Amino acid sequence: MTNTTDLHTFLRTRRSIRRFKTDPVADSVIQSILTTATYAPSAHHRQPWRFIVIKDVSVKTRLADAMAKDFERDLKRDGLSSEKIQAQIKRSKERITSAPVAILLCLDLSEMDVYPDTKRNQAETMMAVQSVAASGLQLLLAAHAEGLGGVWACWPLFVQKTISKTLKLPENWEPQGMFFVGYPTDIPPLRERKPLYEITIQIEEA
Ligand SMILES: Cc1cc2nc3c(=O)[nH]c(=O)nc-3n(C[C@H](O)[C@H](O)[C@H](O)COP(=O)(O)O)c2cc1C
């Protein structure tokens, strides 16, 4: 990366990658990616992000099976046909087991400030979540820098307790998202962005 144009190009060429080659990802590369993720900014510099790296197929399968039970229950409640439920479950199981590396991103609130009122406690929680999300983006960009692909999966948020129990997570580690990482089989086309004029207001002095 030598100049600003290159950096913009780098940032704009990251894609969510959902299909991976079976090639393994070296531990040293995973360490580099996670280290870069920790260079994200965080509120009060409390660094509330936590990472679980899962490469072992049997652990991934155990986790996928445990989460599938929760998904099945929720989708049944939503009134989906059993055909659609099974298709969704199959897809989510494959997503986990086919990625060479799954990284679970967690939130740890234990070092955040505590206030006597709900309003400030909610703001404190929000800023910790925002900090964790910043590390998630940094993780994806670091993977991109390594020639790897990755995708952010949000569904751990729906099954937090099941994940914590299955992986025996430390008590304060709350699952926020899962990142699947590996060498991409192909690079999908760009998903178009909303034009700036739709999403930006510039306040001019009268
Ligand atoms: C918080 C968050 C949650 C996401 N959850 C999922 C998900 O559960 N499954 C999925 O396939 N992609 C998920 N994505 C990826 C988005 O679909 C993707 O970023 C978006 O379509 C834009 O595509 P791009 O990342 O290739 O630019 C998520 C992204 C974010 C930021």
Side-chain angles (χ1 to χ4, degrees):
M1 199 93 43
T2 53
N3 60 42
T4 309
T5 310
D6 287 348
L7 179 55
H8 284 291
T9 303
F10 168 77
L11 294 170
R12 291 177 194 188
T13 50
R14 181 206 55 77
R15 297 280 180 279
S16 288
I17 303 293
R18 299 176 175 86
R19 286 189 190 81
F20 305 100
K21 293 179 183 164
T22 51
D23 304 13
V25 181
D27 285 339
S28 58
V29 173
I30 298 172
Q31 294 298 312
S32 284
I33 291 171
L34 294 182
T35 303
T36 297
T38 68
Y39 277 69
S42 65
H44 324 296
H45 193 44
R46 298 287 157 78
Q47 307 170 67
W49 41 69
R50 304 288 181 267
F51 308 102
I52 318 281
V53 179
I54 310 166
K55 288 166 75 176
D56 185 86
V57 178
S58 62
V59 178
K60 285 193 272 186
T61 307
R62 198 165 69 237
L63 186 61
D65 287 343
M67 291 198 293
K69 282 192 190 137
D70 285 16
F71 291 142
E72 187 165 13
R73 185 202 56 219
D74 291 344
L75 295 174
K76 265 187 190 155
R77 271 194 212 138
D78 293 346
L80 255 69
S81 69
S82 64
E83 217 170 51
K84 279 194 177 149
I85 293 174
Q86 289 318 314
Q88 280 206 26
I89 286 175
K90 187 167 173 269
R91 206 170 54 234
S92 80
K93 273 189 180 179
E94 278 171 5
R95 190 62 75 80
I96 301 178
T97 51
S98 67
V101 188
I103 300 172
L104 179 68
L105 176 62
C106 295
L107 162 73
D108 184 351
L109 288 170
S110 58
E111 291 173 44
M112 299 305 286
D113 288 346
V114 178
Y115 296 95
D117 56 282
T118 308
K119 192 176 156 203
R120 279 185 295 170
N121 280 328
Q122 281 176 344
E124 189 73 11
T125 298
M126 181 70 82
M127 67 182 84
V129 170
Q130 290 170 343
S131 305
V132 169
S135 77
L137 174 59
Q138 198 111 324
L139 187 160
L140 286 176
L141 290 170
H144 181 38
E146 292 286 347
L148 288 158
V151 65
W152 186 324
C154 54
W155 21 271
L157 278 174
F158 297 123
V159 291
Q160 285 175 310
K161 281 195 179 138
T162 298
I163 295 178
S164 300
K165 209 170 134 197
T166 309
L167 298 178
K168 298 188 176 69
L169 297 185
E171 206 180 326
N172 296 320
W173 292 28
E174 296 175 28
Q176 298 293 303
M178 193 172 279
F179 293 75
F180 300 114
V181 175
Y183 292 96
T185 51
D186 54 352
I187 309 294
L190 169 73
R191 296 201 69 183
E192 287 303 326
R193 265 41 186 181
K194 291 179 180 168
L196 277 189
Y197 67 82
E198 279 184 15
I199 55 167
T200 310
I201 296 174
Q202 191 161 325
I203 311 276
E204 308 278 4
E205 291 238 1

